[in-house]
Structures are given as C-alpha cells and as structure tokens.
Amino acid sequence: VVCNFPTPCALKIAEKIFEQCNNAVLLMIDGEKMFPGCRVPPIVMYERKDARWALKDKHTIMLRQWEETCSIVNQLFSSGDQALLVDFDSHLDDITKDWTNQKLNAKIMELVSPANGNV
C-alpha cells in the first residue's frame, strides 16, 4: 500500500507557507501513477480545513494543457534532459550546481515555442 500523505517536513513547510498565504495548497506527485503517456494528472492536493491538511476532492482539480505538458515531459525523458534537473539539496551539496535550472528552463521554453507546434 502506497501512502500519499505528506511527511512531517512537508507539513511543516506547508504550514509556514499557509501562515503567509491562507489560500495555499499542498501539491504532491503520486509517483505510482506517473508514467509516460499517463492520461490522468498524478497530482495529490491537500487544502487547509479545520486546522489540518485534508485531501482535496480530485474531481475539483483542473489542469490546463495537461496533454501538452505530458508531451513536453516525454520529450525531455526521450532526450535525457531530465538529467539537467538540479534540486536545492543537490545545490547545497555542490554550490556550483544551479538550482534555478536555467538550462532545463531554456530547453522547456524551446519545446513550448510556437516553432515546435505549441502555443
């Protein structure tokens, strides 16, 4: 059984964000449901209700351009460009790594451009 409940660390971060923005939500990716060609967004969303984080009804979550997003992600995986992704922990281990991901962002912008059939 896979547990999609946020970790204590995720909840603590979400609380800090919620303190500054009371309409904040906590988004998580369900890795079990993420695969090439998945038709349903593998997103789990929690919202703040009654002083705790509660799972939001998945039928109320709408994502724009899901198919286009999947196409771009599949292209990134096909070309191996996901290896360009640097998370903040990696940056802390080696400060020469750019956690703002400018190279990956440039690649995504290239794939999104109208010249590649996207709008």
Side-chain angles (χ1 to χ4, degrees), residues 4-117:
N4 286 320
F5 194 75
T7 64
C9 182
L11 290 171
K12 187 173 184 177
I13 292 168
E15 284 296 325
K16 292 294 182 186
I17 294 170
F18 184 78
E19 287 173 9
Q20 302 300 314
C21 180
N22 65 0
N23 62 348
V25 295
L26 173 59
L27 290 177
M28 296 173 47
I29 302 293
D30 183 347
E32 294 288 317
K33 295 179 182 172
M34 181 128 184
F35 55 88
C38 65
R39 301 189 53 80
V40 177
I43 293 179
V44 180
M45 182 185 293
Y46 291 86
E47 61 186 338
R48 190 82 169 140
K49 281 190 173 179
D50 302 324
R52 66 180 194 87
W53 290 95
L55 191 61
K56 186 169 175 70
D57 179 6
K58 66 181 175 183
H59 295 98
T60 63
I61 302 169
M62 296 179 63
L63 297 178
R64 288 184 242 174
Q65 301 175 321
W66 175 248
E67 290 81 15
E68 293 87 349
T69 300
C70 287
S71 173
I72 290 169
V73 169
N74 285 332
Q75 290 176 64
L76 290 170
F77 279 127
S78 295
S79 63
D81 286 323
Q82 78 276 9
L84 296 173
L85 180 65
V86 176
D87 68 18
F88 195 70
D89 286 340
S90 297
H91 169 74
L92 292 176
D93 292 338
D94 179 355
I95 61 170
T96 64
K97 294 183 178 178
D98 180 14
W99 65 273
T100 62
N101 292 292
Q102 296 302 312
K103 290 179 184 175
L104 185 58
N105 290 339
K107 181 66 177 180
I108 291 169
M109 292 308 296
E110 177 185 315
L111 293 171
V112 170
S113 77
N116 288 319

